[in-house]
Amino acid sequence: MNILPIPKPLPSVPLYNDINKNNLFELQLIINHIIDSSSLISLDTEFTGLGRISDGIRAQNLEERYKALKNVVSKYALVAFGLSLFLKSNKSKEDPNCIQFHNHSFNFLMLSQHDYLQSSKSMKFLIENGFDFNTQALKGIPYIPGENKRLNDNNPLTEYNNVMRRIFNRILRRARKVPIVVHNGLMDLMFLYQSFFSPLPDKLDVFLADLAKMFPTGIYDTKYIADYVIRESSSFLSYLFRKEERMQLYNKDIKKSEYIKCFIKKRIQCMEQLKKEKVKLKRPLDTGKIYCEQYAAHGFCIFGKECTKTHDLDVILDEQMKEKQKPSKRKRRKDRKKMKQTDESNESSQINENEIVDSLIIFEDQDLQNQADIPENNTPVTSNNNSKILNTNQVIVKNFETYHSAYFDAFMTGYVFCCQCIESEEKILNSDHANKLYVIGKSIPLLIRTSPYTKNSEQCLKILETI
């Protein structure tokens, strides 16, 4: 079997801290301490609905689109908040090309105290990706979106709501010195603003001016960078992440380029251990391409779990690399025969030491058994077909089937951004690539800036004065 020129790293599920109402009070101080020491803050959210196109959420006029999205944010709810904190280390003298980061990731399970809508499509998506609504109802952190009013002291929800707002304010304080990173993050920022800061302004210009004031060091959107700066062929998050894992090992091997090594910090000791979950993946059809072309292009598939072709990003990347090396025209019969042989070869030699190598995402201070304990909720699930446990002295994990969850999306976003910073010919940091958000259906980004003719909202200025 041909050895690919770019190595395939060991898949790595990052450890994370599951924050719920049972441990929020206990962990708030250490969370704030880690925020204060971070070099990069990456954010992601999960919510109960995206709204309908007919309601104007894709309107060409951005002011009309903002009003439609504001209506969505007010009717639906944030259910998970992913926070991934990266601390950059000094370069080692032994390997000056290695850029090291230490990472802590947190998944805040949230429960809005306002009545809200739930989209059936969003519920299906969340459940398929491991979200447990029963756990949310029992352990979700109560919060009150909108105006930052202090509740009656006799109300038990008061302190939960106040603690989450204090953590968000801590992020805003740190954002004066370090960048904030999102991926296609307009809706994420709107939900965070509404949930933990203040009611969304009525006008888009005021909202953008508030964001510029809240995050003065800059907001970076990895989807915008992938599409408009680096010009990636696909720019959905999990594709970028898996591709960057390969590229970092390639850069390390050639010993001529800088590369990223990320050390995943152990879970905070008081965290609860959740059970594992295993989900079967159906075998792909042996006709045409063996992977789902829609998923390869956009990161989603209309058939979801019922799709008969694989969504495995390693398979997609392998096949795309092979396609580039082959003539553009090939006979279907010959393709089917080769794909059948490839499937048989994969089954017999799934763990080939010459093809699968260690990842540069490394787990620190955690024994093998704890590293293998991948929590049930909000965790990428694995395929039972054609997958064997990969065992190294670093970690025991299985290959990914799905990637979506707030903490993992936040981690991937931060990791991809670190890689983009060293791979792009243009300087990403301290450049005009900051404060540009990707907008679906638009050829230009949405600029986060303060207009000479726009004032910040009074509530924004009032809150920031207290931080």
Side-chain angles (χ1 to χ4, degrees):
M1 193 171 185
N2 294 332
I3 298 176
L4 297 175
I6 296 180
K8 184 190 301 183
L10 176 69
S12 308
V13 179
L15 301 175
Y16 73 101
N17 297 284
D18 185 15
I19 310 300
N20 54 58
K21 71 176 185 180
N22 294 339
N23 59 21
L24 176 66
F25 296 150
E26 183 179 358
L27 299 182
Q28 61 175 313
L29 292 180
I30 191 169
I31 293 172
N32 288 335
H33 172 74
I34 297 171
I35 290 173
D36 291 343
S37 61
S38 62
S39 308
L40 174 73
I41 299 175
S42 182
L43 309 173
D44 186 76
T45 64
E46 299 291 348
F47 33 87
T48 61
L50 294 166
R52 297 176 298 182
I53 295 179
S54 60
D55 293 331
I57 63 170
R58 299 286 176 86
Q60 287 300 305
N61 182 285
L62 289 180
E63 188 67 42
E64 294 178 2
R65 183 183 295 200
Y66 172 75
K67 290 180 180 179
L69 293 176
K70 178 178 179 291
N71 188 46
V72 170
V73 174
S74 65
K75 290 182 178 180
Y76 294 88
L78 178 78
V79 294
F81 167 38
L83 175 64
S84 195
L85 305 169
F86 292 78
L87 174 61
K88 188 175 182 179
S89 301
N90 296 327
K91 287 187 176 181
S92 65
K93 296 181 180 179
E94 293 77 13
D95 188 356
N97 287 333
C98 179
I99 302 175
Q100 298 182 4
F101 287 89
H102 295 264
N103 173 264
H104 284 275
S105 292
F106 300 90
N107 194 82
F108 295 84
L109 187 64
M110 306 306 304
L111 184 63
S112 174
Q113 298 305 291
H114 286 177
D115 292 339
Y116 56 87
L117 298 178
Q118 286 186 322
S119 162
S120 58
K121 290 183 179 179
S122 295
M123 288 181 67
K124 182 174 183 289
F125 171 83
L126 289 169
I127 292 170
E128 284 184 344
N129 288 280
F131 190 86
D132 189 336
F133 282 96
N134 291 329
T135 301
Q136 183 212 12
L138 294 173
K139 296 184 179 182
I141 301 169
Y143 74 100
I144 302 172
E147 192 170 354
N148 189 12
K149 289 183 178 179
R150 282 200 170 268
L151 304 174
N152 187 307
D153 291 337
N154 294 325
N155 191 324
L157 304 179
T158 301
E159 198 54 30
Y160 288 113
N161 186 68
N162 292 339
V163 168
M164 284 308 304
R165 287 182 181 257
R166 285 198 293 267
I167 289 174
F168 187 70
N169 287 348
R170 201 76 170 219
I171 294 171
L172 296 182
R173 191 170 74 175
R174 188 59 182 168
R176 297 170 183 170
K177 298 181 180 181
V178 303
I180 300 295
V181 186
V182 295
H183 182 86
N184 191 15
L186 177 58
M187 286 290 282
D188 296 301
L189 293 170
M190 291 180 70
F191 266 102
L192 289 172
Y193 189 110
Q194 174 77 12
S195 300
F196 305 135
F197 190 71
S198 177
L200 283 165
D202 293 330
K203 294 184 178 180
L204 175 61
D205 288 347
V206 177
F207 173 65
L208 296 177
D210 282 358
L211 289 181
K213 191 77 172 178
M214 294 161 65
F215 305 105
T217 305
I219 299 173
Y220 293 83
D221 189 330
T222 52
K223 185 170 179 63
Y224 160 76
I225 294 171
D227 277 347
Y228 295 101
V229 181
I230 301 179
R231 305 287 181 180
E232 295 279 6
S233 58
S234 294
S235 60
F236 64 93
L237 182 56
S238 52
Y239 178 93
L240 295 176
F241 173 69
R242 194 64 178 137
K243 183 176 181 180
E244 289 296 353
E245 282 191 294
R246 293 182 172 207
M247 289 305 303
Q248 298 317 301
L249 275 173
Y250 176 75
N251 291 341
K252 177 178 180 290
D253 290 345
I254 63 175
K255 298 180 180 179
K256 293 181 180 180
S257 300
E258 292 183 321
Y259 65 94
I260 300 293
K261 179 183 288 186
C262 188
F263 296 92
I264 308 298
K265 304 299 289 184
K266 65 180 180 179
R267 297 187 185 100
I268 300 173
Q269 290 299 320
C270 64
M271 298 312 303
E272 298 177 358
Q273 296 296 323
L274 303 177
K275 297 179 181 179
K276 299 178 184 179
E277 179 181 13
K278 298 180 181 180
V279 179
K280 292 184 178 181
L281 175 66
K282 295 182 179 179
R283 294 284 295 167
L285 294 178
D286 290 331
T287 58
K289 293 184 178 179
I290 63 173
Y291 61 85
C292 175
E293 295 180 66
Q294 183 184 26
Y295 184 83
H298 305 291
F300 70 92
C301 170
I302 59 174
F303 298 106
K305 295 281 185 179
E306 298 176 359
C307 183
T308 56
K309 296 191 177 182
T310 183
H311 294 176
D312 189 312
L313 287 173
D314 275 325
V315 175
I316 292 172
L317 288 164
D318 287 347
E319 292 300 313
Q320 288 180 344
M321 293 175 67
K322 292 177 184 177
E323 289 164 7
K324 290 181 180 179
Q325 299 173 359
K326 292 182 179 180
S328 58
K329 294 183 179 179
R330 295 171 292 174
K331 294 182 180 179
R332 291 182 178 274
R333 184 178 302 174
K334 192 174 182 180
D335 285 345
R336 295 189 190 113
K337 183 177 179 181
K338 286 186 176 181
M339 282 186 285
K340 184 177 180 181
Q341 292 173 349
T342 301
D343 282 346
E344 293 173 353
S345 177
N346 284 340
E347 291 177 2
S348 61
S349 58
Q350 182 68 21
I351 312 291
N352 189 316
E353 292 182 357
N354 293 326
E355 291 181 1
I356 300 177
V357 296
D358 286 352
S359 173
L360 290 176
I361 299 175
I362 299 171
F363 296 81
E364 286 191 334
D365 304 324
Q366 190 81 10
D367 58 49
L368 291 178
Q369 184 59 44
N370 286 340
Q371 292 175 13
D373 287 340
I374 301 171
E376 178 181 0
N377 292 332
N378 299 324
T379 301
V381 293
T382 57
S383 166
N384 285 337
N385 294 324
N386 270 348
S387 68
K388 298 181 180 179
I389 292 179
L390 306 178
N391 190 347
T392 72
N393 60 355
Q394 297 170 349
V395 65
I396 302 175
V397 292
K398 291 188 179 182
N399 195 11
F400 301 130
E401 178 193 338
T402 61
Y403 285 76
H404 294 286
S405 64
Y407 86 92
F408 197 22
D409 284 359
F411 171 78
M412 289 192 292
T413 298
Y415 181 84
V416 167
F417 178 73
C418 293
C419 298
Q420 289 175 334
C421 286
I422 66 171
E423 289 187 1
S424 174
E425 295 179 358
E426 305 179 47
K427 290 186 177 180
I428 303 296
L429 284 170
N430 302 320
S431 70
D432 59 358
H433 299 308
N435 293 332
K436 293 182 178 179
L437 294 179
Y438 176 85
V439 182
I440 298 174
K442 290 288 186 179
S443 58
I444 57 175
L446 181 63
L447 302 180
I448 299 173
R449 62 185 179 184
T450 302
S451 167
Y453 309 101
T454 304
K455 294 182 179 180
N456 291 102
S457 66
E458 293 182 5
Q459 188 69 9
C460 173
L461 295 175
K462 183 179 179 180
I463 296 173
L464 292 179
E465 285 179 358
T466 64
I467 298 177

